Amino acid sequence: MATFLYKLGRLAFRRRHFVALIWVALLTLAGVGAASAPPAGNSSFSIPGTEAQKAFDLLEQRFPGASADGATARVVFKAPGGEKMTDAGNKATVNKTVKELSHGSEVASVADPYTGHAVSKDGTIAYASVKYKVSGMELEDSSRTALEDAAKDARDAGLTVEIGGDALSAAPETGATEVIGIAIAAVVLVITFGSLLAAGLPLLTAIIGVGIGVSTVTALAHTLDLGTTTSTLATMIGLAVGIDYALFIVSRYRAELAEGREREEAAGRAVGTAGSAVVFAGLTVVIALVGLSVVNIPMLTKMGIAAAGTVVVAVLIALTMIPALLGYAGRRVKPAGQKSRLLGGARAAKKAARPNMGTRWASFVVRRPVAVLLLGVIGLGAAAVPAASLELGLPDDGSQPVSTTQRRAYDLLSEGFGPGFNGPLMVVVDAKKSDDPKAAFTRVTDDIKGLKDVVTVTPAQPNKAGDTATVTVIPNSKPSSTTTEDLVHAIRDAGSGIKAKTDAEVLVTGSTAMNIDVSQKLNDALFPYLALVVGLAFLLLIVVFRSLLVPLKAALGFLLSVLAALGAVVAVFQWGWLSGLMGVEETGPVMSMMPIFMVGVVFGLAMDYEVFLVTRMREAYVHGEKPGQAIVTGFRHGARVVTAAAVIMIAVFSGFIGSSESMIKMIGFGLAIAVFFDAFIVRMAVVPAVLALLGRRAWWLPKWLDRVLPNVDVEGEGLRTEPGSGPKDLDEDRELVRV
């Protein structure tokens, strides 16, 4: 591996014009494809194998032309103080608005509030339901504009008018914080390298990689039904790992220059050593992201594969474009320990006699491993305590910022019709095998009326064939509550008895039931997914480190950091701690896919730091150093760079906390705090403490397994036989080992 990458790095350095041309051409091609592709909208949501999805599919089959997957909108009206919606003037305004809404070519139907019993008991609030022929993703801008114009006309007439539903769904906005995150990353790179040019290389390659990845996602979004969240996630992950991977290679290049090697040789060695770590770190991230497909939720699978594709691009760019750009930069990229003239002059560092911070910290941990280990584990355990109160759900209009019309419409409907009105349950009765379908429909409505927490049950609405009917159930509690979840299970339990007596199958669907099924499916898939991803990465790390205990320690440390991160997410988004600082306007259940998503992404990112830091220790150990000294050597060479990489990743993820989309905000915060816990507590404290306690046992591998495993040579041992590794280089290497 190291030898191949060494040759690739030297080739890219020599043929830099050709390499740069290829990447620029790919970026241009992806950009043209994105610009010419139809715009993406919200990805269609399906959950194969669940009752809610089965009922939805049955509706499309038995109620043709009903646009079961069509976009919906609820235009909510509120009368001025002292007036009612049944007053003649207000009624005329609503009738006019309904007439305007029905003119659109994509409109399937508009329900009049007065004929559809959609006026609150006190007469102050009413709503008109608009059903479209196409999904929210396919809805044309002209239809959204017509919807907003109709609402504006009603507002001008004196009514309070808000619009809920998915017809007005828009791409999430991240605000200025994303730019601030990139700016912080730039500052950290400048401080790390002491050079504006060297700092600019990781940023440039990361931006190019993200540009190619996200443009490709955008170009394929309409064809593959990829939502806007998919490209946002690809940007988030691709930008973070792209900067980090390039950072490690540039840092190693400068270290090789400081040892007196020629620039082409230094580029080859940097790609051969740090590049090997980049490949395996990238593989762990890709395994974790692609592994999301085992959950069998198409949206989650697409998000994972798109983000994994961006990571692959980031790895390839780091291995090829970084050495090419180093060739262009020439002597303007200084050896390690030297700064550019702009930042203090090209002078060699004269502080070599004093150990750096990484050396001092590692020496302290080696002397006090038990105290450091206990402090780190107890601290992470305390942070993980809130995770025991984790409640899962999916975001709806009630989790939107109060500044949005969707949230205000949600609140008005709750005020006028009760909290459960925003999450109606649709019960589908399949009586095709029943001898008396009408009796079955009546039995279903009567049984549901007798259940606890039911406010309203509408009469059964059969299809033309008379073998299938829908029944709408309004709960007494809000959609995300556990009471509503209990009601869904109660209806399904009652359906089992109805089927036994009438041969009619009862299915519960609707957005609320769909959310409940998603949560259950994700919970059921969490442990199999964890076993798959951790198992594959464990095998990969055995090959990299040629040890059993080091990968085991890496996996256990990851579990500590991800539990602590989940605890922090619960504290902020569910309990409301620091919610004002994070811009969380509405606390509630944590997004259902958050635990499994964090397990996948955080595991991949955590293994990045494990590979980069411990590979340096392994390199020192196999070159003859004692275990304790190898830990110190690994920190002397890697701690500064790993710290910079972690700060950059935290800054990039934190930039997405400013998003208007609650899911993106939660993911950004969760990943940022997880990287903080994993990089600075697990990898910087727990890992060296455990390695110090284990000593030589940390690197133990059964002889039979050692013979079976392929030798990937991450440490670059094979580079000693390459041209340029002459006697002078070997003597220098031996001297470094003695030091």
Side-chain angles (χ1 to χ4, degrees):
M1 171 69 77
T3 302
F4 170 76
L5 294 178
Y6 164 82
K7 294 177 179 178
L8 178 64
R10 294 192 64 166
L11 179 65
F13 187 95
R14 289 196 308 271
R15 305 289 187 227
R16 46 189 172 271
H17 302 308
F18 180 68
V19 172
L21 183 62
I22 289 177
W23 285 113
V24 170
L26 289 175
L27 178 61
T28 303
L29 184 64
V32 170
S36 58
N42 286 334
S43 178
S44 59
F45 198 78
S46 63
I47 326 166
T50 62
E51 179 174 317
Q53 186 64 44
K54 181 180 178 182
F56 185 82
D57 295 339
L58 185 65
L59 281 174
E60 289 192 322
Q61 178 185 347
R62 304 285 176 84
F63 290 81
S67 302
D69 62 343
T72 59
R74 274 179 172 174
V75 182
V76 188
F77 307 90
K78 184 175 183 180
E83 298 182 15
K84 293 184 180 295
M85 290 306 303
T86 51
D87 293 345
N90 294 334
K91 192 171 182 179
T93 300
V94 172
N95 288 334
K96 180 183 177 183
T97 303
V98 169
K99 188 176 180 180
E100 288 182 28
L101 291 171
S102 62
H103 288 161
S105 60
E106 293 182 318
V107 175
S109 63
V110 180
D112 187 299
Y114 302 104
T115 59
H117 307 289
V119 180
S120 62
K121 290 182 180 180
D122 62 5
T124 60
I125 297 174
Y127 70 92
S129 296
V130 185
K131 185 75 173 177
Y132 292 90
K133 299 175 184 177
V134 296
S135 66
M137 184 184 70
E138 300 168 319
L139 201 63
E140 294 181 358
D141 291 338
S142 58
S143 296
R144 293 191 177 96
T145 302
L147 181 61
E148 292 171 332
D149 289 345
K152 182 178 181 300
D153 291 340
R155 289 191 192 103
D156 293 341
L159 297 177
T160 298
V161 185
E162 304 297 346
I163 305 171
D166 60 352
L168 281 187
S169 57
E173 298 176 0
T174 54
T177 51
E178 182 182 347
V179 178
I180 294 173
I182 297 176
I184 293 174
V187 172
V188 172
L189 287 169
V190 171
I191 294 173
T192 303
F193 290 139
S195 166
L196 291 175
L197 181 62
L201 295 182
L203 280 176
L204 176 61
T205 54
I207 290 172
I208 291 174
V210 168
I212 293 173
V214 174
S215 294
T216 303
V217 170
T218 304
L220 299 175
H222 187 77
T223 304
L224 301 181
D225 190 22
L226 305 176
T228 53
T229 304
T230 304
S231 58
T232 304
L233 176 65
T235 301
M236 188 189 301
I237 303 295
L239 195 60
V241 301
I243 294 175
D244 277 8
Y245 294 165
L247 165 66
F248 285 112
I249 292 179
V250 173
S251 177
R252 187 61 183 251
Y253 171 76
R254 296 178 72 237
E256 296 292 339
L257 289 180
E259 294 181 14
R261 293 188 171 86
E262 295 295 326
R263 294 188 176 273
E264 182 180 327
E265 176 68 13
R269 283 177 168 267
V271 176
T273 52
S276 297
V278 165
V279 169
F280 283 99
L283 272 176
T284 59
V285 179
V286 170
I287 287 173
L289 290 170
V290 174
L292 290 171
S293 59
V294 303
V295 184
N296 196 27
I297 294 180
M299 185 185 77
L300 196 59
T301 300
K302 293 171 186 175
M303 290 172 63
I305 292 176
T310 307
V311 171
V312 171
V313 173
V315 170
L316 294 176
I317 282 188
L319 297 178
T320 56
M321 194 169 187
I322 281 293
L325 293 178
L326 290 172
Y328 283 119
R331 297 186 179 277
R332 285 169 291 185
V333 174
K334 308 296 181 182
Q338 294 185 18
K339 296 181 179 180
S340 65
R341 294 180 180 178
L342 184 63
L343 296 175
R347 61 180 181 274
K350 297 181 180 180
K351 298 180 181 179
R354 184 187 179 191
N356 61 21
M357 181 66 74
T359 302
R360 298 198 299 274
W361 170 249
S363 300
F364 171 77
V365 174
V366 170
R367 291 196 305 270
R368 301 284 188 272
V370 175
V372 172
L373 178 61
L374 288 176
L375 188 61
V377 172
I378 292 172
L380 290 173
V385 168
S389 303
L390 178 67
E391 295 179 8
L392 299 177
L394 284 179
D396 54 20
D397 285 348
S399 61
Q400 295 274 2
V402 292
S403 58
T404 62
T405 186
Q406 291 96 327
R407 171 60 186 278
R408 291 195 293 265
Y410 181 97
D411 292 340
L412 284 177
L413 288 171
S414 296
E415 177 188 341
F417 302 92
F421 197 79
N422 284 292
L425 306 176
M426 179 175 287
V427 178
V428 182
V429 186
D430 181 5
K432 196 168 187 177
K433 297 180 180 179
S434 176
D435 296 332
D436 190 350
K438 289 185 178 180
F441 301 154
T442 303
R443 176 67 182 270
V444 169
T445 55
D446 290 343
D447 284 7
I448 293 176
K449 285 178 182 178
L451 295 176
K452 185 181 177 181
D453 198 47
V454 173
V455 174
T456 305
V457 180
T458 65
Q461 302 293 322
N463 61 351
K464 290 182 179 180
D467 58 4
T468 308
T470 60
V471 178
T472 301
V473 181
I474 306 297
N476 189 43
S477 50
K478 63 181 183 179
S480 58
S481 69
T482 54
T483 307
T484 301
E485 182 176 349
D486 292 339
L487 175 59
V488 170
H489 293 309
I491 295 173
R492 288 173 173 171
D493 291 341
S496 300
I498 293 171
K499 184 176 182 179
K501 295 178 180 179
T502 66
D503 289 326
E505 187 174 10
V506 179
L507 305 170
V508 185
T509 188
S511 60
T512 302
M514 192 78 80
N515 291 350
I516 292 170
D517 287 350
V518 167
S519 298
Q520 187 61 49
K521 193 175 181 70
L522 288 168
N523 286 338
D524 294 342
L526 180 59
F527 288 104
Y529 171 72
L530 187 63
L532 172 68
V533 172
V534 175
L536 288 176
F538 182 79
L539 295 176
L540 185 65
L541 292 179
I542 290 177
V543 174
V544 173
F545 295 128
R546 309 196 78 76
S547 161
L548 290 178
L549 295 180
V550 170
L552 179 61
K553 171 264 309 167
L556 294 177
F558 151 73
L559 290 176
L560 277 175
S561 59
V562 79
L563 285 174
L566 277 175
V569 169
V570 170
V572 173
F573 291 89
Q574 189 174 310
W575 291 359
W577 293 5
L578 301 177
S579 57
L581 181 63
M582 297 296 167
V584 180
E585 298 183 10
E586 183 72 21
T587 59
V590 173
M591 183 181 61
S592 296
M593 61 181 67
M594 194 67 189
I596 199 165
F597 184 80
M598 283 189 66
V599 165
V601 177
V602 175
F603 182 79
L605 299 179
M607 293 305 102
D608 279 2
Y609 302 118
E610 180 75 15
V611 170
F612 288 125
L613 194 58
V614 181
T615 296
R616 272 290 196 168
M617 300 178 193
R618 169 75 182 173
E619 185 176 340
Y621 178 75
V622 299
H623 288 172
E625 293 190 12
K626 294 181 179 179
Q629 183 58 35
I631 295 172
V632 176
T633 300
F635 268 77
R636 181 170 70 243
H637 292 299
R640 177 183 176 89
V641 179
V642 168
T643 300
V647 171
I648 288 169
M649 197 169 281
I650 291 170
V652 171
F653 289 148
S654 297
F656 290 85
I657 296 176
S659 174
S660 61
E661 178 71 35
S662 59
M663 183 169 73
I664 297 298
K665 182 189 292 288
M666 192 179 294
I667 289 175
F669 172 80
L671 293 183
I673 197 69
V675 169
F676 173 80
F677 286 145
D678 195 85
F680 294 110
I681 299 180
V682 173
R683 307 304 154 190
M684 291 291 185
V686 174
V687 164
V690 172
L691 291 177
L693 289 172
L694 291 174
R696 294 186 182 277
R697 289 169 294 181
W699 308 106
W700 173 78
L701 186 70
K703 291 183 178 180
W704 66 269
L705 187 57
D706 187 42
R707 290 192 297 269
V708 172
L709 291 178
N711 183 11
V712 295
D713 189 21
V714 177
E715 299 84 17
E717 189 70 21
L719 299 184
R720 293 168 178 263
T721 62
E722 291 297 315
S725 297
K728 179 174 180 286
D729 297 302
L730 289 172
D731 290 339
E732 289 176 355
D733 287 339
R734 295 191 186 101
E735 182 64 23
L736 283 173
V737 170
R738 286 195 292 272
V739 172

